Amino acid sequence: MGKVTGFLEYERLEEGYAPVEQRLKHYKEFVIGLKDEEAKVQSARCMDCGTPFCNSGCPVNNIIPDFNDLVYRGDWANAIAVLHSTNNFPEFTGRICPAPCEAACTLNVNDDAVGIKSIEHAIIDRAWAEGWVQAQPARHKTGKTVAVVGSGPAGMAAAQQLARAGHAVTLFEKNDRIGGLLRYGIPDFKMEKTHIDRRVEQMKAEGVVFRTGVLVGHLPEGSKVTNWAKEIVSPEQLKAEFDAVVLTGGAEQSRDLPVPGRDLDGVHFAMEFLPQQNKINAGDKLKGQIRADGKHVIVIGGGDTGSDCVGTSNRHGAKSVTQFELMPMPPEQENKELTWPYWPYKLRTSSSHDEGCEREFAIATKEFIGDKGKVTALKTVRVEWQGGKMVEVPGSEQVLKADLVLLAMGFVSPVSTVLDAFGIDKDSRGNAKATTDFTGGYQTNVPKVFAAGDVRRGQSLVVWAIREGRQAARAVDEFLMGYSDLPR
């Protein structure tokens, strides 16, 4: 390493945030990234640890010590080359990945981990500013055609890798814009959509054909084409027109809360609420947008999606925002002796929480209460865990005022209509059944049809989606050509 004693000399420096009162007035990103000299100092904290657990802690296996050393030495051009060798879209992960690499950092055993995510963020932003991110079209075409269904991070990664291998790739997306949940699930204040747009332009220059407004499969019963897309393409069409098909859709089936009053107006899934604001930010006109202005908002679900609902509600001007979590409040500090190098169980406070939010732990919703068909309150009860089971605490029921309730309890499975239309076998959780073996990896039971990302593994992180998209691309390349030079 460039600075062998750096971890002894320098403290961890976090990225900064714009003041709360300023950032609540807009939907733009508000993270203040590291300056070049700050990134150099933070990179110097990377230890010459011998066994870099950060590499295996990172799902895409970023070569973290190498790009840290290059940043320390001021060689930013080679730093982005190293970063891109394992990660197609570091501007996505550098903004919204929870950084399992940092949890696995050797320095994290008894000190603050190296700020890997902030360094990655600095590298890719510098690379775009310097014009180092260029299209990489294949030198030779294979004559093979591949359809990728779903344009989230798994689909984008698979499509880009396959195009660079020389295949003719068409990427299908049912929505009007590319990006999947990156586009319509992640709020703009966490990741502005220009980052997706310029990758789309790069991929077009590499030969990827994008077809938006196209639903692959069959419409759900009772739906109209105009509710979903401009066009429907059947699995039979894809299998006839393409040499391979890769399904990379998301786990879009939201977990519901079937308690009395669920059908009241004002009770919505998070994924009804969040995409609308993203569409408004993109310039679309929407009638009947779900708004939190002046309302008492309760978000049910303590994860990232719930946090995104908190941040968006505060920007609407909610009167109050409360977030529920069924599990008890985690400790503020993890027990590193028990958890390192794995992802620790500890209290996590997001930037959205800092903007204004009451957090309630170990609480369950028993009933939605309404008046004239609209939700006005929730009946709740405290819960505790006894013998591995959740039990209600006697006498702990209470009624909390609520004008808007957002269900953000995660996703249970991909929408079954696509998998059913292809006739793909499912696992016990309703995901596409496909292994990740080196031989025949990511193949489903349907000939020449592959599956990767959330549609295969279930709800997960953007970094896992990129990993699966890259690995599936190699599997498809081997299937088509008998060998592959793509990295796995």
Side-chain angles (χ1 to χ4, degrees):
M1 302 302 298
K3 184 72 169 177
V4 176
T5 59
F7 71 98
L8 298 172
E9 300 174 29
Y10 305 122
E11 299 294 326
R12 177 182 168 108
L13 176 66
E14 300 284 354
E15 292 181 312
Y17 293 150
V20 170
E21 62 273 14
Q22 291 181 13
R23 67 194 200 224
L24 284 180
K25 297 177 181 178
H26 60 77
Y27 292 90
K28 300 292 186 181
E29 292 178 14
F30 53 82
V31 173
I32 302 170
L34 301 180
K35 299 176 182 177
D36 289 357
E37 190 60 31
E38 291 172 335
K40 176 181 177 178
V41 171
Q42 291 305 296
S43 296
R45 297 186 71 240
C46 187
M47 305 168 67
D48 187 11
C49 58
T51 303
F53 288 91
C54 56
N55 284 20
S56 54
C58 172
V60 294
N61 303 122
N62 279 337
I63 313 170
I64 294 163
D66 291 43
F67 69 63
N68 281 339
D69 185 52
L70 290 164
V71 169
Y72 174 76
R73 298 177 185 278
D75 191 351
W76 292 83
N78 274 320
I80 187 58
V82 170
L83 184 51
H84 267 151
S85 70
T86 56
N87 185 353
N88 295 66
F89 313 117
E91 63 269 47
F92 302 166
T93 52
R95 285 169 168 80
I96 61 174
C97 180
C101 55
E102 294 187 15
C105 174
T106 302
L107 189 56
N108 193 44
V109 172
N110 60 357
D111 200 346
D112 293 328
V114 174
I116 301 166
K117 179 179 174 181
S118 63
I119 297 167
E120 180 178 332
H121 187 179
I123 293 171
I124 184 58
D125 281 9
R126 173 75 180 269
W128 279 108
E130 297 285 354
W132 295 333
V133 184
Q134 298 291 327
Q136 300 176 36
R139 294 181 180 179
H140 307 285
K141 299 296 184 181
T142 64
K144 303 292 185 180
T145 57
V146 183
V148 179
V149 181
S151 71
M156 289 181 69
Q160 185 168 63
Q161 293 293 95
L162 288 164
R164 290 176 175 179
H167 306 305
V169 181
T170 302
L171 185 54
F172 294 87
E173 169 58 51
K174 70 176 184 291
N175 288 309
D176 57 345
R177 296 181 179 93
I178 297 297
L181 283 179
L182 287 175
R183 173 75 67 176
Y184 289 130
I186 303 296
D188 288 12
F189 56 80
K190 287 178 69 174
M191 193 190 82
E192 294 176 20
K193 306 315 174 218
T194 52
H195 303 299
I196 302 172
D197 296 337
R198 59 187 178 185
R199 283 295 182 180
V200 169
E201 292 306 310
Q202 179 196 35
M203 292 169 66
K204 286 180 179 178
E206 293 171 346
V208 177
V209 175
F210 293 90
R211 292 183 59 184
T212 57
V214 180
L215 175 69
V216 174
H218 302 151
L219 278 175
E221 186 176 351
S223 295
K224 298 178 181 178
V225 177
T226 52
N227 296 146
W228 286 74
K230 297 177 294 186
E231 181 184 354
I232 300 176
V233 173
S234 70
E236 291 72 26
Q237 285 177 268
L238 286 189
K239 289 188 288 184
E241 294 177 16
F242 294 89
D243 298 308
V245 178
V246 190
L247 304 181
T248 59
E252 298 178 274
Q253 192 66 48
S254 298
R255 182 174 283 107
D256 207 344
L257 185 59
V259 299
R262 170 63 181 88
D263 58 346
L264 288 169
D265 185 24
V267 181
H268 302 276
F269 287 119
M271 290 309 298
E272 295 176 277
F273 176 68
L274 294 173
Q276 289 187 350
Q277 187 58 56
N278 284 7
K279 287 177 178 287
I280 294 291
N281 295 345
D284 293 353
K285 304 287 186 182
L286 292 183
K287 292 183 179 180
Q289 182 191 3
I290 303 169
R291 299 282 305 183
D293 314 62
K295 296 179 179 178
H296 295 284
V297 180
I298 292 183
V299 179
I300 301 179
D304 289 339
T305 303
S307 175
D308 294 343
C309 291
V310 170
T312 303
S313 296
N314 280 325
R315 281 162 178 75
H316 283 185
K319 191 169 185 179
S320 70
V321 182
T322 305
Q323 186 176 21
F324 285 3
E325 170 56 61
L326 188 65
M327 301 298 290
M329 183 175 176
E332 290 192 9
Q333 293 294 329
E334 73 270 31
N335 186 334
K336 292 183 179 181
E337 292 182 355
L338 291 179
T339 60
W340 182 88
Y342 301 108
W343 187 245
Y345 176 66
K346 67 176 183 178
L347 181 66
R348 303 178 191 279
T349 301
S350 72
S351 58
S352 292
H353 294 140
D354 292 336
E355 293 165 0
C357 175
E358 293 293 326
R359 303 174 74 181
E360 297 284 351
F361 294 89
I363 189 170
T365 303
K366 298 197 70 174
E367 182 183 354
F368 299 113
I369 301 170
D371 180 40
K372 298 179 181 179
K374 295 185 176 182
V375 68
T376 58
L378 269 69
K379 181 184 288 186
T380 67
V381 65
R382 298 290 171 175
V383 294
E384 60 184 14
W385 295 85
Q386 297 179 1
K389 295 182 180 179
M390 185 185 72
V391 297
E392 297 182 0
V393 177
S396 65
E397 289 190 2
Q398 57 181 334
V399 175
L400 299 178
K401 184 172 179 57
D403 307 305
L404 174 63
V405 179
L406 300 171
L407 306 180
M409 302 173 294
F411 304 89
V412 293
S413 66
V415 176
S416 62
T417 50
V418 176
L419 301 183
D420 291 343
F422 276 91
I424 290 172
D425 291 342
K426 303 174 188 175
D427 63 17
S428 59
R429 297 185 298 156
N431 302 320
K433 195 172 183 179
T435 70
T436 58
D437 297 339
F438 277 92
T439 303
Y442 295 92
Q443 291 195 54
T444 68
N445 61 298
V446 179
K448 74 178 186 181
V449 178
F450 297 72
D454 286 7
V455 73
R456 191 202 69 83
R457 66 178 288 116
Q459 178 189 358
S460 194
L461 305 175
V462 62
V463 68
W464 273 106
I466 294 171
R467 170 196 173 110
E468 294 229 339
R470 287 171 61 89
Q471 290 191 344
R474 179 183 172 93
V476 172
D477 193 32
E478 288 180 334
F479 169 77
L480 294 174
M481 307 302 294
Y483 68 95
S484 179
D485 292 327
L486 291 175
R488 191 176 191 276

